[in-house]
Amino acid sequence: MEIKRNGSQPSAKGPADWFTGIVRIDPLFQRTAPARVAGASVTFESGARTAWHTHPLGQTLIVTAGCGRVQREGGPIEEIHPGDIIWFPPGEKHWHGAAPTTAMTHIAIQEQLDGKAVDWMEKVSDEHYGGQSQ
């Protein structure tokens, strides 16, 4: 058994290569082999968002606070709220983040395949985020 005490793991800033705006990542868990699951609580300030990305084994998001946006490639921008659970299948290109005027926090859970949990791509433009070009 392992207990990680609240506050025992430092927060990290979301790297500018992968995020637009102010993002804080609070690690929750990262299991070692043979397990491969990891989870983090991610807080996006209003207007902040990820770049486009995929996950080799998919990703689950559980919205815990605020209001946000998600989009899969080719689909509409969807608004998300606390209690919503979002599943992105393996390899599905997508992005997620806060609403334009409201922060959002979600728990992100994904698994690693051959040591890799995510493939980062291009950033989501302000125009696209605003729904002006989809």
Side-chain angles (χ1 to χ4, degrees), residues 21-36:
I22 299 170
V23 178
R24 185 184 78 238
I25 302 168
D26 291 294
L28 297 174
F29 56 89
Q30 172 114 26
R31 300 293 165 239
T32 55
R36 54 189 179 186

Side-chain angles (χ1 to χ4, degrees), residues 9 17 19 39 41 48 51 62 68 72 78 86 89 102 111 116 134:
Q9 302 179 92
D17 288 350
F19 297 95
S41 178
I62 304 167
R72 64 180 176 175
E78 303 276 354
I86 301 93
T102 308
E111 294 180 280
K116 191 172 198 175
Q134 297 181 31

Side-chain angles (χ1 to χ4, degrees), residues 3-27:
I3 299 173
K4 293 250 187 210
R5 300 290 179 197
N6 187 21
S8 67
Q9 302 179 92
S11 298
K13 244 181 149 172
D17 288 350
W18 304 339
F19 297 95
T20 298
I22 299 170
V23 178
R24 185 184 78 238
I25 302 168
D26 291 294

Side-chain angles (χ1 to χ4, degrees), residues 5-109:
R5 300 290 179 197
N6 187 21
S8 67
Q9 302 179 92
S11 298
K13 244 181 149 172
D17 288 350
W18 304 339
F19 297 95
T20 298
I22 299 170
V23 178
R24 185 184 78 238
I25 302 168
D26 291 294
L28 297 174
F29 56 89
Q30 172 114 26
R31 300 293 165 239
T32 55
R36 54 189 179 186
V37 67
S41 178
V42 185
T43 300
F44 300 81
E45 293 300 319
S46 52
R49 57 201 178 267
T50 67
W52 286 99
H53 60 286
T54 63
H55 299 274
L57 295 175
Q59 182 183 47
T60 299
L61 304 178
I62 304 167
V63 183
T64 59
C67 180
R69 291 181 169 184
V70 296
Q71 183 182 28
R72 64 180 176 175
E73 185 175 46
I77 295 172
E78 303 276 354
E79 193 169 283
I80 55 176
H81 303 276
D84 291 350
I85 301 170
I86 301 93
W87 164 245
F88 297 106
E92 184 170 73
K93 186 176 178 181
H94 67 280
W95 65 268
H96 38 98
T101 59
T102 308
M104 185 270 296
T105 301
H106 64 50
I107 294 172
I109 304 168

